[in-house]
Amino acid sequence: DLWPVLVLCPSGARYHWRKEYELWLEGTKVQVLNTGSEEIDKRADVVVLSYGLVTSLVGSGRLCEGNFKCVIVDESHMLKNPAAKRTK
C-alpha cells in the first residue's frame, strides 16, 4: 500500500497537485497545508505542502506524524544545496 502520499512542491503548484489528484484519482482525499500551524489530517490520502513549510514541520517533528509511504518531490532541483535549511 502506497498511501498516504506526501507531495513537496513550490507553493504556486500546491492547488494544481490537488486538482490533478482529484481529476485522475476520484475519491482521493487531498489535504493542502497552507501554514505551519495546521495539523496533518491522518485520514488524508495525499498531503501537499510547499518547500517553505518543510523546515517548520520537520523542525517540530510534525512531518513524521503523517506516516507517509511515498514522497513525490516536484521541482526537486530546489533541494540541491545540501547546506540549505530545507535540505537538512
Side-chain angles (χ1 to χ4, degrees), residues 1-8 21 40-42 44-47 63-73:
D1 194 19
L2 296 177
W3 304 101
V5 173
L6 173 65
V7 177
L8 299 175
Y21 263 104
I40 294 173
D41 184 350
K42 296 198 180 9
D45 299 310
V46 180
V47 176
L63 192 59
C64 296
E65 293 173 4
N67 196 26
F68 300 106
K69 305 292 188 235
C70 178
V71 178
I72 297 172
V73 183

Side-chain angles (χ1 to χ4, degrees), residues 8-79:
L8 299 175
C9 63
S11 60
R14 290 174 297 163
Y15 288 94
H16 177 74
W17 272 96
R18 180 178 73 180
K19 183 179 114 191
E20 291 299 316
Y21 263 104
E22 291 171 347
L23 175 68
W24 294 101
L25 295 170
E26 191 174 317
T28 302
K29 181 169 173 47
V30 180
Q31 178 188 25
V32 176
L33 292 177
N34 294 302
T35 68
S37 62
E38 292 175 273
E39 295 295 323
I40 294 173
D41 184 350
K42 296 198 180 9
R43 297 169 294 149
D45 299 310
V46 180
V47 176
V48 182
L49 62 106
S50 68
Y51 288 111
L53 288 178
V54 170
T55 305
S56 65
L57 292 175
V58 168
S60 68
R62 292 184 28 234
L63 192 59
C64 296
E65 293 173 4
N67 196 26
F68 300 106
K69 305 292 188 235
C70 178
V71 178
I72 297 172
V73 183
D74 186 10
E75 306 266 349
S76 63
H77 65 275
M78 297 183 79
L79 300 174

